[in-house]
Amino acid sequence: MSNAYDPTAELVRHGDELKATLSGQWTAARSEAVEHEAAALEDAARGAHRVLIDLARIERLDTLGAWVLDRTRHELGGRSQRADFVGAKPEHRILLDEIAYRGFQQLPPPRRSSIIDFLAQVGESVVDAGKDVVRGTSFLGEVVVALLRVIIDPRRFRVASIVHHLEMVGFRGVPIIALISFLVGCIVAQQGIFQLQRFGASTFVVNLVGILTLRELAVLLTSIMVAGRSGSAFTAEIGSMKMREEVDALRVMGLDPVEVLVLPRMIAIVVALPLLTFIAAMAALFGGGLVAWAYGGITPEVYLSRLQQTISQSPSTFMVGLIKAPFMALVIGVIASLEGLAVQGSAESLGRQVTASVVKAIFMVIVVDGLFAMFFAAINY
């Protein structure tokens, strides 16, 4: 049974013009009746060129009522019918303006060229890469400033934190890095023997394994493993603290997050990576020696003698890998910490930044290795 408060629409048609006089309460409490009257208005407006919706007699109008009325007006406009509100009270007009639909009538998509889109994406990538370089350089400056503060005031030196991260990065990373380096050394030696046997020069596999491992493979494999294992852990740890607002809490307490969170991790990774590189080199040489003995008939005595002779001819071979290690560690630490501090307040952001940290760190490790290769070749070292 209807009452005076139910929403109603009195429809009067004059030629190609329809006037709908609305009354009652167009509110969420009467949502079913509101939808019914709006549907009746749309049906009655078929064939009309212009529709006037008179709101002067509406007693109450809330968000739902305004939403339905504005939707109805836009649907009529979508049928090429001119629909206008008239007689609305000031408060109802404000609500209708606030609730007004945007984008009901879709604009035609702009004409775009795939070549221009591709070039635009390349340009955006280059700009983003430049911004990352600037951010990384600025962040490295903050780390250096924090290190200088610690050197000036040794009481700020967090020994326990550094030892903890040394254990996580270095000690606990030894098994997996030694195993992978051992297997890679075996593979390089095996493939080298198979290829060199064609020329009767299988003994030169010792030179191949020794120089390639000490100059490139050991430090490169170790850096990639540390970037994927410890770099992602740094980003996740700092990012989780950022999500829980613990980083902001440190600032409120008067502590520098770079000094408390970043610096111990940076020192630990810079110290641990050269040590892990040495262990990786020894594991790869050991694996290469076993395969050379099994496949090439090169006894351990001959292998060690020839390896010593190879290295003594170029003493810089051993040092090249160790020189590159701290710089790669610095790059990994800066990227991992910076991405961790860039985490926002969602788990999705944390996962995205961890992924970006690993990808960027591995990419930059390879770039740094290439730059060092060109540098050492230029100075004949």
Side-chain angles (χ1 to χ4, degrees), residues 293-330:
W293 188 12
Y295 283 88
I298 303 174
T299 62
E301 293 80 7
V302 175
Y303 180 83
L304 291 175
S305 175
R306 191 170 184 86
L307 182 62
Q308 182 181 9
Q309 181 183 0
T310 301
I311 297 175
S312 63
Q313 291 176 352
S314 179
S316 62
T317 301
F318 177 72
M319 292 303 301
V320 165
L322 295 181
I323 291 173
K324 291 189 286 188
F327 294 94
M328 292 185 175
L330 192 64

Side-chain angles (χ1 to χ4, degrees), residues 66-116:
W67 184 84
V68 171
L69 290 176
D70 196 71
R71 183 196 66 188
T72 303
R73 183 170 66 91
H74 277 275
E75 289 179 354
L76 293 174
R79 299 191 321 212
S80 300
Q81 295 174 294
R82 181 180 175 184
D84 297 301
F85 292 133
V86 295
K89 299 176 182 178
E91 60 272 21
H92 294 168
R93 172 62 61 184
I94 294 174
L95 183 57
L96 287 167
D97 290 340
E98 291 295 328
I99 208 68
Y101 265 58
R102 303 295 182 216
F104 259 78
Q105 301 175 11
Q106 296 184 357
L107 298 176
R111 299 178 61 184
R112 310 178 72 174
S113 170
S114 58
I115 297 178
I116 294 178

Side-chain angles (χ1 to χ4, degrees), residues 176-247:
I176 184 65
I177 289 175
L179 176 61
I180 290 179
S181 300
F182 172 80
L183 295 175
V184 170
C186 292
I187 294 170
V188 171
Q190 182 194 41
Q191 294 301 314
I193 289 173
F194 287 165
Q195 299 302 320
L196 292 172
Q197 277 179 344
R198 301 178 181 180
F199 310 99
S202 57
T203 55
F204 282 97
V205 72
V206 181
N207 303 58
L208 173 66
V209 172
I211 295 175
L212 185 60
T213 297
L214 294 177
R215 291 186 71 96
E216 297 294 338
L217 278 183
V219 64
L220 194 57
L221 285 174
T222 303
S223 299
I224 292 174
M225 288 298 300
V226 169
R229 180 180 176 275
S230 301
S232 60
F234 287 177
T235 304
E237 291 165 0
I238 297 175
S240 298
M241 296 183 68
K242 184 76 181 299
M243 290 173 57
R244 295 194 296 264
E245 299 182 354
E246 295 177 19
V247 176

Side-chain angles (χ1 to χ4, degrees), residues 121-132:
Q121 292 175 1
V122 172
E124 290 177 1
S125 301
V126 172
V127 171
D128 291 340
K131 291 179 179 179
D132 287 341

